[in-house]
Amino acid sequence: MSTTRTGTFHALATIARLDSGSRAQKFCDLLKETEGIELRFVPDAKAGYEVRSNGKSFGSLVPADGRENMERQNLIKDAADLLGCLLQGVPESQAGGEAPSSGLKNRQHRQLVEKASVGIVAFDTQGTIRECNPELARMFSPDDPRKLIGLSLIRDVKNGVVVQAVRHVIAGEEAQYEGWYRSVVSGNERYIRARSFSIGDEAFAAVIEDLTQLKVIEQDLAGSRDRLHALFENMLEGFANHRLIRDQSGRGVDYLFLEINDAFERMTGLDRE
């Protein structure tokens, strides 16, 4: 593993040195800080997202407000997998402060990076990509992920808003971006939501969600509404949508026009205004 990746997830290595109870709490604190997701760890619970490793169940991660967050469901599941690795992977004899072995840290880091359902990329002070995970490669360079390594997010990227966000995070600010982005490697265009932040000395990371399918569905629905509205306005038949007004006994006594089309106006002489 490169020094950049080790630096990127230094916080996880620190968590791994704590006792089991503190590890779970610190992990939830880190998730809230970096992802804005508030979770709590419930030992031995079966509800929520089960925390397992090597066939052993430790408990569950549940949303702090008790409600499911469907938009981040996969991310929370990945978090549960990683926490299971942290709880299982470090012997209790190391809870007193002795650093876990390098091999153990590597396995923990790889769990987060390679299994995450969001794209993760690490870059340096020049904006040069040093590491990325398989999900990021799927988004932007599915044929050859190696082409992303060494790419500059400042010099090579053509999206000025993205470049500005990278400059902001290198300057010490947290940066976010949401919008369409075209890969300079593959030409793939995706609608993404990205959050970038510092993760150590001269090291930075971004977590990127691929919202393309949701955006395409949203655009298709908007187009369908526009087409239906055009059909409604241009049809030859008169059309009116009413709401029945009832008295206290429930008997219909009047009705309210909610919407009428041009043909209805012409036929009845009523004005929609």
Side-chain angles (χ1 to χ4, degrees):
M1 178 178 289
S2 71
T3 55
T4 300
R5 177 175 287 179
T6 301
T8 300
F9 303 107
H10 174 73
L12 293 176
T14 301
I15 291 172
R17 293 198 293 266
L18 304 174
D19 62 86
S20 294
S22 297
R23 272 181 240 161
Q25 182 58 52
K26 288 291 186 181
F27 181 80
C28 290
D29 292 344
L30 178 65
L31 202 62
K32 178 180 178 181
E33 178 182 346
T34 59
E35 291 300 323
I37 301 175
E38 295 190 52
L39 301 174
R40 58 189 178 90
F41 175 69
V42 183
D44 303 320
K46 298 300 182 183
Y49 300 86
E50 191 175 13
V51 177
R52 298 181 60 87
S53 182
N54 295 332
K56 181 178 179 180
S57 177
F58 296 92
S60 296
L61 283 176
V62 298
D65 59 6
R67 298 195 302 268
E68 294 285 345
N69 188 333
M70 297 302 293
E71 182 182 355
R72 299 275 179 101
Q73 188 178 62
N74 289 333
L75 187 59
I76 298 174
K77 287 179 180 178
D78 290 341
D81 289 341
L82 178 61
L83 180 56
C85 181
L86 288 172
L87 293 177
Q88 174 72 22
V90 182
E92 292 301 323
S93 60
Q94 293 187 359
E98 180 183 352
S101 68
S102 174
L104 180 61
K105 286 193 293 184
N106 288 350
R107 291 196 300 272
Q108 293 161 351
H109 300 164
R110 201 169 294 279
Q111 283 279 333
L112 176 63
V113 176
E114 294 189 358
K115 292 183 63 178
S117 58
V118 293
I120 300 175
V121 59
F123 54 96
D124 60 21
T125 54
Q126 303 303 312
T128 302
I129 294 177
R130 296 304 181 189
E131 295 286 346
C132 67
N133 71 339
E135 177 61 13
L136 190 98
R138 181 196 67 80
M139 295 181 199
F140 302 123
S141 186
D143 294 334
D144 188 357
R146 294 170 298 179
K147 290 183 178 180
L148 292 172
I149 307 304
L151 186 76
S152 172
L153 297 174
I154 295 177
R155 296 189 309 273
D156 300 325
V157 169
K158 308 303 180 185
N159 187 314
V161 179
V162 172
V163 172
Q164 192 64 24
V166 172
R167 292 187 186 277
H168 278 308
V169 74
I170 291 175
E173 306 171 26
E174 191 166 311
Q176 299 185 25
Y177 170 79
E178 180 171 338
W180 289 100
Y181 174 78
R182 184 180 296 277
S183 170
V184 297
V185 174
S186 66
N188 290 349
E189 187 173 29
R190 297 191 174 276
Y191 192 90
I192 62 172
R193 178 189 295 151
R195 181 186 294 110
S196 304
F197 43 87
S198 172
I199 40 78
D201 294 337
E202 300 186 342
F204 309 89
V207 176
I208 302 171
E209 296 175 84
D210 184 357
L211 305 179
T212 307
Q213 287 186 331
L214 292 176
K215 194 65 177 178
V216 169
I217 291 172
E218 179 184 295
Q219 291 177 337
D220 287 345
L221 288 174
S224 296
R225 286 194 296 268
D226 291 341
R227 289 191 293 272
L228 286 173
H229 183 73
L231 175 63
F232 173 75
E233 287 297 337
N234 293 287
M235 61 192 297
L236 299 178
E237 296 83 357
F239 182 90
N241 184 20
H242 305 92
R243 185 176 69 196
L244 184 64
I245 299 175
R246 301 178 184 274
D247 61 15
Q248 292 183 344
S249 66
R251 184 168 57 92
V253 295
D254 202 349
Y255 60 89
L256 179 69
F257 283 99
L258 298 179
E259 191 174 15
I260 64 175
N261 67 352
D262 291 344
F264 188 89
E265 283 188 287
R266 292 193 304 268
M267 293 176 182
T268 63
L270 296 175
D271 189 335
R272 73 178 67 191
E273 298 299 330

